[in-house]
Structures are given as C-alpha cells and as structure tokens.
Amino acid sequence: MNFELTKTRFSCRTMLLSALCLSALLSWQSGHAQSSEEAEEEPESIEFPSNLADRLAPLTEEEMAFLSDPSMTRSYAETPEELFEALEKRSPDEVKAYVQAMMWVREQRPFQEGVDEAFIPLNTDSPDFNAWTVRRPRSFDPEREDGPISLGRYMGGNGGIPTFAGAPVALTPEDLVAGDVDIAIVGAPLNMGSGWRDADHGPLALRLRGGMAGNDQYTQVNASSVLNIVDYGDIAIDNDSTERSMQHVREVVREIASTGAIPFIIGGDHSLEYPNVAAMVDVYGKGNVGVIHFDAHYDVGRDSPHYISHGQPIYRLLREDLITGADYIQVGLRSGSPNERIYRWMREEGFKYHSMAEVERYGWDYVLERVLAEAKGDGRYLYISFDVDVLDPSYIAGTGTPVAGGMTPRESIPIIRRLCAEDQVIGFDLVEVAPALDPAYTTALHSAAIVKACLTGIAMRAEGIDEPHYLNPVSLDHAQDDYHARNAPDESAEP
C-alpha cells in the first residue's frame, strides 16, 4: 500500500500525536484487507465502562461521538473490548491524542476534491490509442482455409512450437467454427491486478510444462482424442491499465463462447475472474450462470480505490449487477478474511461457502459431496474459477498470496474432474501461477494437472460417461482376486 502524504497533509501537532498517527495508520493498513465497507445495518453506539471515565474526560463532544461509533473505530479496534484495552493503556492526554490521530487518518482516506484526481487521464490524441487491440487483417497473411493450424514438426508430438495441451492453434472465431472446436485455451498474461509475483508468465509456464491433456490414468479417457482442443494464443494486455485490459479480455472470452467452444483462460492474476464471468453472462444470460470459486480468499473486497484487483473481482460483478451472491459457491477459504462480520454479510447475500474450517470439522469427502450437490442444485450452466492458492503452499509455491493449510492436489484433482464430468461446464479459468517463484516447477506441474482434470471431465461427459465419480475398472483393480467384493461393508447389517 502506498501512502503519498505531503508535508502539509501530514501535520500532527505534537511528537506524541505524530507517533500515534503513524501507529493508527499502520493499524489501518494491516487491517485494511479484512475491513471492507460492509453493506449492513449500522451497529449501536459503544457504551464505555465507568473505569474509563477519567481517560475520556478531555474529549470534546465531537471526539466522543467519533469514538462511540463502531463504524469509525473498527479499523483500529475490531471489537469494543479491544478498544477498551487500548484506552486503558493510555493517560487522558494520550487518549485525546489517540482519538485525534484516528480522526485525522479517517479524514485523509476519502477522495478529496481539488487534491485527488477523480479519473486516470488518458491521451486520447495518441495515434496508437487502440493499437494494442487491433487485430491483424487476414489480407496480411498467406491465403488459407479457416480452421485450426498444427504447429508441430514431428509425428511423435514433441518439437515444433509449444502450445497449450500440445494442441493446434486457432487465430479467429472462424477457425473455431470451421474446426468444430470444443475447447479453446487462451492465455491472459495480466499481472497488474495483484501488482507483483510474476503472474504474467503463467500462460508461458503452462505451455512449456505440457501435461494438460492426453490419457487420464484414472478414467482411461483421452481428452485430446475425444475433444477438439486448440490454443487460441494470448489475449493482448495493456500493461499500463488493468481497467482497459479487463474490457478486451471480456471481448475475447465472449468471442470464444459465442462460437459454442468452451473457453479455458490461463492467467494471469485473479482479477481476470471479472471479465471471464462477465463474458459468460453476456453469452448465456443473467441468472443462467453459476460460479464455483476455488480460492484461499473470498475476493469480494469492496474498499479499494480501484474497482478491480485480484482481491475483488466478485465485487465488480456484483456492483455491475451481472451476478448475485446466490450465484456463487466458494471453496477453500482460509485467509485472515472473511472475518465474522463479512461471513454474516455473505450469508445474507446468499453466498454458499466451504471453508477449510468446514473441512477440518467434517472431512473432505463430506464437503466434496456437498459442493457437488450444490453445483447441480439448480441446473444452471457452471463456470469454474480456480485460483491455485487454494492449494497448500507446499504444493504451490509459485503464487501471489500463498496461505498455509490448503487443499492438496489429491483433493483438488478429483473434485475438478467430477464437476466437469457431472455438470454443464461453459468456462474455466486457472489463475495466479507465478513460475519465477518456483524453480522446482511443481506449481506448473500441479496446475497442468488441474486443467487436465477438467478437460478429462468434459471429455467423459461428451462420451456419455454419467456414473458419479467414475473410475475405470482396469485402473481401479488388478482383478487377480475378489478382494474388494469380499471386504465390502455389509450394507444390510443392522447398525
């Protein structure tokens, strides 16, 4: 977080007040990610215990009103009890300076007319204003028929130019239609929604790593044989503007979905969930798209100066009335937020969420079945947004905001395969891969396996394999005895 405070704005009147200003500022900064503005009823005023009366005596009526308002003080003390404890540690003069510091910080936070710019200026006179999104005219290319183009040099599958899943490439919607394409995998190398950690190289890592398609040992289904898969290249990104990039990503994802192909978007950071889901709503209609959000974070932050970042793509969708909380199922939550207040708000908004606390209490198999049942519950089209930080950092080191205590690949792969096999999936994204932070390549390896699990599931559905949690008998058992039959639990026995 950057704080560009000029000397005239950073004017505390005493050394004590200056120190308290800094303390309050740091307190706000550390709690900022968890204290988004909440759309809920204002709580009642704080009632202070009598033992604090002498400490509160120097406060003016305005200062006392500020201190009594939980919406003003919760950034510095989450609960009244924490506020009481902070006041008890201070003398009456220090309490007054402390309250003045809180009020000063609060005054600096909002937009200030005449000081702040309301809009980010763009040079609309630039002759290259839209150059980054201008498509290459077909007349510039050698004449060819519409359809996917193989970039391989060898029949064995290795060599040539690396592509997602080793698939041929497509350059235009006409190629997707002519090739009767089922899956178009597209890169979106956007990193500015997080601002750090190398997520813009995620698509490159997944192309180089490979392993995204081919035979699945668990089901013996080969997605590359069943489905027409193409690499649709990378979406152009304006590296000076996340906002401009959002609109172009939405355009390209909508372009893919409009042909009937399923877009697989490889990020890039999780701000991409906004244009990806928005594009699905553009094509399939509001109220017809459900989203499963795999993430350590809830991503509904609402207090940022920007309307889009990797911590608030869901808020942007809500703000633009493209989806509702009831359209969302969240899996894997475990970071410092949501706190209790935000969880209550999420309940009111209709979000279905499954935290790692639920997994700890009930076990993964129980939670998995609940998620699967909810995904099928209303028969809507399903979009899956998979942030790799939902996995534990021991498996995914190369990601922007790792959080300990996450899911394992062993848990993630089966649920993704099942969701994509048992539901009508219309889109999928995998985001937040930061390959430079993982010299062992395990992040790319596990990420490719997650993508492959969804491709396999979609191929299973295309093949008519509708058995829940299907596993091929050949892979499941060596069949040299009837061990499993002899040791199966007797379901008819009395409990």
Side-chain angles (χ1 to χ4, degrees):
M1 187 72 66
N2 294 320
F3 297 92
E4 298 177 357
L5 301 177
T6 65
K7 291 182 179 179
T8 56
R9 293 178 65 189
F10 196 86
S11 56
C12 295
R13 286 173 287 183
T14 65
M15 290 296 293
L16 173 62
L17 191 53
S18 295
L20 287 169
C21 280
L22 179 59
S23 173
L25 196 60
L26 292 174
S27 174
W28 170 78
Q29 181 179 355
S30 64
H32 180 66
Q34 300 181 36
S35 59
S36 302
E37 294 181 51
E38 301 307 320
E40 56 181 302
E41 294 183 5
E42 285 295 329
E44 297 179 359
S45 297
I46 297 174
E47 298 291 335
F48 294 93
S50 58
N51 67 306
L52 292 176
D54 62 330
R55 291 173 173 80
L56 301 176
L59 299 184
T60 66
E61 184 176 341
E62 180 185 6
E63 290 165 348
M64 194 64 203
F66 176 91
L67 192 64
S68 302
D69 187 345
S71 68
M72 296 290 106
T73 59
R74 68 162 63 111
S75 293
Y76 319 100
E78 183 66 29
T79 65
E81 290 71 26
E82 290 179 11
L83 181 60
F84 301 157
E85 183 179 350
L87 297 174
E88 287 173 353
K89 295 176 181 178
R90 293 171 165 82
S91 69
D93 287 343
E94 288 172 338
V95 166
K96 187 174 182 68
Y98 179 59
V99 174
Q100 288 176 344
M102 288 193 288
M103 293 176 71
W104 178 85
V105 171
R106 190 80 187 185
E107 290 171 359
Q108 306 311 306
R109 288 170 59 176
F111 173 78
Q112 299 190 33
E113 189 75 37
V115 176
D116 302 315
E117 288 192 82
F119 302 97
I120 299 173
L122 294 172
N123 179 15
T124 55
D125 292 330
S126 168
D128 294 324
F129 188 83
N130 288 314
W132 65 288
T133 59
V134 175
R135 304 295 181 96
R136 179 184 176 88
R138 290 290 293 271
S139 60
F140 286 9
D141 298 331
E143 186 175 346
R144 67 175 181 87
E145 294 183 358
D146 292 330
I149 308 163
S150 175
L151 299 184
R153 177 177 291 126
Y154 304 97
M155 294 302 295
N158 297 317
I161 299 173
T163 62
F164 290 127
V169 302
L171 302 176
T172 67
E174 291 77 16
D175 289 336
L176 300 179
V177 173
D180 195 20
V181 169
D182 300 302
I183 308 286
I185 310 176
V186 64
L190 175 75
N191 192 47
M192 295 168 297
S194 61
W196 64 321
R197 301 280 286 194
D198 188 48
D200 52 329
H201 289 113
L204 176 62
L206 268 293
R207 282 192 178 93
L208 294 175
R209 171 63 190 87
M212 293 171 64
N215 186 61
D216 175 66
Q217 198 266 352
Y218 296 87
T219 62
Q220 294 300 316
V221 172
N222 189 324
S224 298
S225 299
V226 175
L227 305 172
N228 290 328
I229 303 172
V230 299
D231 184 329
Y232 205 56
D234 281 354
I235 301 173
I237 299 297
D238 180 346
N239 285 306
D240 288 322
S241 175
T242 303
E243 190 65 49
R244 294 186 81 199
S245 298
M246 292 294 102
Q247 302 313 312
H248 187 52
V249 171
R250 181 174 179 176
E251 175 188 357
V252 176
V253 175
R254 179 172 62 237
E255 171 181 292
I256 294 169
S258 296
T259 70
I262 300 174
F264 272 49
I265 304 94
I266 307 299
D269 67 57
H270 214 168
S271 61
L272 292 163
E273 184 177 1
Y274 158 66
N276 296 342
V277 174
M280 296 297 99
V281 175
D282 290 342
V283 174
Y284 292 95
K286 181 181 173 182
N288 295 324
V289 179
V291 184
I292 299 192
H293 174 93
F294 288 87
D295 204 322
H297 312 87
Y298 78 124
D299 285 2
V300 200
R302 283 158 287 160
D303 206 12
S304 169
H306 296 279
Y307 281 127
I308 189 66
S309 76
H310 75 156
Q312 55 186 44
I314 300 174
Y315 165 68
R316 179 68 175 267
L317 291 162
L318 289 168
R319 179 179 178 271
E320 296 185 4
D321 198 30
L322 292 167
I323 54 94
T324 68
D327 297 327
Y328 260 82
I329 302 171
Q330 294 182 309
V331 182
L333 305 180
R334 65 185 186 279
S335 67
S337 63
N339 58 23
E340 182 176 353
R341 184 178 64 257
I342 298 172
Y343 266 136
R344 292 186 184 281
W345 172 83
M346 289 170 64
R347 288 181 175 185
E348 293 170 2
E349 291 294 311
F351 282 91
K352 301 179 184 70
Y353 57 80
H354 303 280
S355 68
M356 295 309 290
E358 183 182 359
V359 173
E360 180 176 326
R361 172 59 58 88
Y362 298 107
W364 175 246
D365 289 343
Y366 175 93
V367 174
L368 181 151
E369 293 301 328
R370 189 179 182 196
V371 172
L372 289 164
E374 289 172 351
K376 299 176 186 175
D378 52 18
R380 287 184 293 179
Y381 298 113
L382 182 65
Y383 183 89
I384 299 173
S385 186
F386 194 97
D387 186 330
V388 297
D389 71 26
V390 75
L391 274 70
D392 191 84
S394 57
Y395 302 100
I396 298 285
T399 192
T401 48
V403 183
M407 294 169 62
T408 70
R410 188 68 198 85
E411 294 167 337
S412 303
I413 291 170
I415 189 173
I416 293 297
R417 186 175 62 236
R418 290 188 62 180
L419 283 168
C420 295
E422 300 173 24
D423 296 274
Q424 185 63 45
V425 173
I426 56 170
F428 176 92
D429 67 49
L430 182 133
V431 295
E432 298 281 349
V433 175
L437 298 168
D438 185 2
Y441 309 120
T442 54
T443 299
L445 183 149
H446 292 309
S447 298
I450 296 295
V451 176
K452 179 176 180 177
C454 190
L455 290 172
T456 299
I458 293 173
M460 292 167 62
R461 188 177 180 87
E463 291 284 84
I465 300 174
D466 55 6
E467 176 185 331
H469 199 188
Y470 172 81
L471 296 170
N472 193 290
V474 175
S475 300
L476 195 60
D477 187 17
H478 59 63
Q480 303 304 309
D481 55 31
D482 58 351
Y483 179 86
H484 294 303
R486 287 187 289 105
N487 291 277
D490 185 359
E491 297 181 358
S492 64
E494 292 292 331

